[in-house]
Amino acid sequence: MKYFYSVVIPVYNRPEEVAELLQSLTQQTYQNFEVLIVEDGSSKKCDAVAKTIEDQLNIRYFFKENTGQGFSRNFGFDKAKGDYFIVFDSDCIVPPHYFQAVEDHLTREPLDAFGGPDRAMDSFTTTQKAINFAMTSFLTTGGIRGGKVRTADFHPRSFNMGISRQVYEATGGYIITRMGEDIEFSIRIIRSGFKAGLIPEAFVYHKRRTAMGQFFRQLHFFGRARVNVGRFFADQIKLTHLFPVFFFLGLVLAPLLYLIDLRLVYMAYGLYLFYGLLVWVLALITTRSLPVASKAVWAAFTMLIAYGLGFLSELLKGKGQ
């Protein structure tokens, strides 16, 4: 079976990144797809970028008022012509085999919704590679983004996500526009009886953030988003999501152990040093780069502290969007 795919790309003030993403789509070995750019009220528009590529891609450009990424994806789904709708973040680069890998998998094993991992390109900066390691390592609870584990209950994330037309027609798409919108949507898809799965070969190169400060703000938001998802599905707050909270609180409160015994303070921070060493060793084995491994420790601590702090701040707020 030869499926037709609609690629929906919501974008807000990122013309340079969209240009790279579109260029990667021109290199696909499987070309039975269209591309829909949904400009979400940007002041730095990418209409000129889309126009320069229209002789190489089946592309359509739309400009709309700012409503957030979730509702912008719904806008694109409404305009799409494909059997499947695929969503990419604008800071992704898609390898040439991507659509062929999806087509082969869906022909062999049909899915109603799917996603793929993300990887780092050789051309990424040391910081980007370190952040990618932190976001895909089981040591930081991010392993599902980078491997083949738990494929049966995989929840697709919208940086690299596909759904069938039937899924959209049955669910109505995103019901919140940000702050965990993709997690909520994935859970609702599965609980509506649709089959979702991971396609390991359908990975993308995800550039993510280029500085640790940006990464901190992003992960702080992710922590808040998990609490927001819990307002829709209480059972989706699991021990895994609490690990960053314990990590953050332990780091901050460890000095209080001095009131009991100073040796307990040394023991507590010794555990953090041991954790950092584990991250460094695994990152060195995985990336084969001493600079990346060293910065990966920084990225891992940044990720857990920011996520834990964001989780706590949203939990204490007590109100959802």
Side-chain angles (χ1 to χ4, degrees):
M1 174 114 186
K2 193 171 185 179
Y3 291 110
F4 182 61
Y5 301 92
S6 293
V7 179
V8 176
I9 305 170
V11 59
Y12 181 74
N13 289 338
R14 290 186 173 183
E16 295 85 4
E17 291 183 340
V18 168
E20 289 186 278
L21 172 54
L22 292 179
Q23 186 58 43
S24 72
L25 290 175
T26 67
Q27 307 300 315
Q28 293 300 304
T29 57
Y30 182 99
Q31 299 183 348
N32 197 28
F33 64 90
E34 64 172 351
V35 179
L36 292 83
I37 301 293
V38 182
E39 190 91 65
D40 189 29
S42 302
S43 57
K44 295 172 60 179
K45 296 163 62 176
C46 63
D47 51 340
V49 172
K51 190 169 185 61
T52 63
I53 210 87
E54 62 185 9
D55 60 334
Q56 300 177 64
L57 286 174
N58 178 2
I59 187 169
R60 290 185 282 157
Y61 172 87
F62 301 93
F63 184 91
K64 53 177 282 299
E65 65 175 345
N66 181 264
T67 59
Q69 54 202 20
F71 294 162
S72 292
R73 294 177 189 127
N74 286 347
F75 180 95
F77 295 160
D78 285 335
K79 307 291 185 182
K81 301 175 181 177
D83 305 302
Y84 281 88
F85 307 153
I86 294 180
V87 175
F88 294 129
D89 278 355
S90 60
D91 57 353
C92 288
I93 296 175
V94 185
H97 72 276
Y98 180 91
F99 283 93
Q100 190 61 62
V102 171
E103 177 73 8
D104 291 345
H105 189 100
L106 295 180
T107 301
R108 181 178 67 252
E109 181 185 347
L111 294 169
D112 301 301
F114 59 87
D118 62 335
R119 299 185 183 179
M121 295 184 75
D122 291 340
S123 60
F124 284 8
T125 67
T126 298
T127 298
Q128 287 176 312
K129 291 176 180 177
I131 288 174
N132 183 79
F133 174 82
M135 289 295 289
T136 58
S137 173
F138 71 91
L139 287 177
T140 57
T141 74
I144 189 62
R145 292 174 175 265
K148 300 182 180 181
V149 296
R150 297 195 303 110
T151 57
D153 60 348
F154 176 67
H155 290 167
R157 301 295 179 87
S158 53
F159 70 90
N160 176 12
M161 178 181 185
I163 63 170
S164 68
R165 175 176 291 276
Q166 290 74 23
V167 165
Y168 178 58
E169 292 174 348
T171 62
Y174 296 86
I175 62 172
I176 52 177
T177 195
R178 62 195 297 270
M179 205 164 161
E181 79 288 342
D182 54 345
I183 305 173
E184 188 284 328
F185 187 27
S186 289
I187 295 169
R188 190 157 36 88
I189 288 171
I190 294 169
R191 295 190 179 184
S192 296
F194 291 106
K195 183 179 179 181
L198 174 70
I199 302 180
E201 300 80 15
F203 63 85
V204 298
Y205 300 113
H206 200 178
K207 289 186 293 183
R208 302 191 183 282
R209 299 300 181 255
T210 57
M212 286 297 175
Q214 295 173 332
F215 185 51
F216 182 94
R217 289 189 290 273
Q218 182 185 47
L219 267 295
H220 184 275
F221 186 81
F222 284 178
R224 294 181 58 212
R226 175 54 63 172
V227 174
N228 198 40
V229 170
R231 295 179 177 122
F232 293 87
F233 304 103
D235 62 333
Q236 291 302 305
I237 303 295
K238 301 179 180 179
L239 187 60
T240 302
H241 307 118
L242 295 177
F243 172 64
V245 176
F246 298 144
F247 187 95
F248 168 71
L249 291 177
L251 197 62
V252 172
L253 299 178
L256 296 179
L257 293 173
Y258 172 77
L259 299 174
I260 304 173
D261 192 324
L262 180 60
R263 289 173 296 182
L264 293 177
V265 179
Y266 294 144
M267 289 175 60
Y269 284 121
L271 290 174
Y272 283 95
L273 287 173
F274 179 69
Y275 173 78
L277 180 62
L278 284 179
V279 171
W280 183 83
V281 170
L282 184 58
L284 184 61
I285 294 172
T286 303
T287 67
R288 300 181 181 180
S289 168
L290 187 59
V292 173
S294 299
K295 192 162 281 191
V297 178
W298 183 12
F301 273 73
T302 298
M303 173 181 178
L304 294 173
I305 292 170
Y307 190 103
L309 185 58
F311 189 103
L312 283 173
S313 67
E314 190 65 25
L315 189 66
L316 294 175
K317 186 181 300 184
K319 293 174 63 178
Q321 291 196 348

